[in-house]
Amino acid sequence: MPVTTIDPRTALVVVDLQQGIVELPLAHPVDQVLSRNAELLAEFRSRGLPVVLVNVAGGPAGRNDLGASFPAPSPEWTELAPQLGATESDHLVTKHARSAFTRTGLDEWLRGQGVTQVVVTGIATSSGVESTARDAHEQGYHVTVATDAVTDTDGAAHEHTIARIYPRIAETGTVKDVLAALANAS
C-alpha cells in the first residue's frame, strides 16, 4: 500500500541506527540509509513532530534463548550514529528485545503526545524494524515504512519483508513519498 497521507500527529521512529549495527555488513550502503534518515529527521524536527531514536542494548534473557541474543554490548556499540544528530527534544528508547514497543513505555509516550501514525525506519528490515512496525500496527497506529531508509544484514530477508510483510501492516514508500505527504499535510 503506497503512502497516501500523513496524520497531523505523526511520529518518526528510527530503529537501531547505532554504532555497533551500522558497522555490520549490510545489504544496502549504510551511508545512503543514514542520509535518508537524517533527511526525515530534519523535516520531522522542523515541523515539531515527535522523533523517537531507538537503540538496542542486548536481548531478553529466557529459556527460549537459542543463541539469537547477544551479550550486553559496550557503551560505544550502543551509541546512536552521529549522522542522526540526536537532540534534547528527541525521545530516546533503549530496548532489550526486537520491538521498540516491548517493555519500553513507547506506546504510552506516543499516546501522551497524541500520536496516531508512526513512520518507521532503520535496521533491520526483517527484525527490529519489522517487529516495531508489527507492534505499532497491533497497537492501532497507522504505520508507514520508508523503504529506502531501511536495510538488513540479509538482502533476501529485506526484499521478502518489503514485498510480503509490510504491505499487510503498513503503507510503504520512499523518503521522497513521505516528505511529499508531509508537505501535503500542512
Side-chain angles (χ1 to χ4, degrees), residues 67-90:
S69 297
F70 45 86
S74 70
E76 297 81 22
W77 195 90
T78 61
E79 286 179 24
L80 294 168
Q83 296 89 329
L84 303 180
T87 69
E88 290 183 16
S89 65
D90 298 338

Side-chain angles (χ1 to χ4, degrees), residues 52-78:
V52 180
L53 301 177
V54 181
N55 69 345
V56 61
R63 290 178 43 173
N64 62 351
D65 181 6
L66 302 175
S69 297
F70 45 86
S74 70
E76 297 81 22
W77 195 90
T78 61

Side-chain angles (χ1 to χ4, degrees), residues 47 59-60:
R47 293 175 177 274

Side-chain angles (χ1 to χ4, degrees), residues 100-112:
F101 284 90
T102 303
R103 294 182 307 279
T104 64
L106 178 58
D107 181 47
E108 294 81 3
W109 186 85
L110 290 170
R111 293 196 190 285

Side-chain angles (χ1 to χ4, degrees), residues 14-46:
V14 179
V15 178
D16 298 348
L17 288 180
Q18 63 193 64
Q19 288 303 111
I21 294 178
V22 300
E23 294 171 357
L24 295 172
L26 299 167
H28 303 91
V30 73
D31 58 328
Q32 292 175 13
V33 172
L34 286 167
S35 69
R36 289 179 185 130
N37 274 277
E39 190 175 359
L40 284 171
L41 285 162
E43 190 63 26
F44 272 74
R45 289 173 181 144
S46 75

Side-chain angles (χ1 to χ4, degrees), residues 113-134:
Q113 302 297 309
V115 170
T116 56
Q117 180 177 13
V118 293
V119 174
V120 186
T121 66
I123 299 173
T125 312
S126 66
S127 183
V129 176
E130 180 183 331
S131 297
T132 299
R134 282 178 183 269

